[in-house]
Amino acid sequence: MIGWIVRILLLAGGAVAALFVAPDAENFDVVQGMMSVAILAAVVLVVALISRK
């Protein structure tokens, strides 16, 4: 189950990272990971704000 969540996050992170960095660049994996963490933080923020109401 956790593997699916990580895979979906990395897929979304890779799609966003591809907008800024070429996929064959050496630092693409780092940018993909950073984008995945940013997406996860945004999802947690949205869930926290929705549950606050």
Side-chain angles (χ1 to χ4, degrees):
M1 182 69 177
I2 299 258
W4 290 1
I5 295 170
V6 170
R7 196 172 294 209
I8 290 170
L9 278 173
L10 285 175
L11 180 68
V16 175
L19 296 173
F20 300 107
V21 179
D24 57 346
E26 291 184 16
N27 63 344
F28 182 76
D29 293 334
V30 175
V31 176
Q32 181 182 16
M34 289 173 27
M35 291 298 165
S36 298
V37 170
I39 291 170
L40 178 63
V43 168
V44 169
L45 178 68
V46 167
V47 169
L49 289 176
I50 287 175
S51 66
R52 186 176 177 192
K53 291 182 179 183

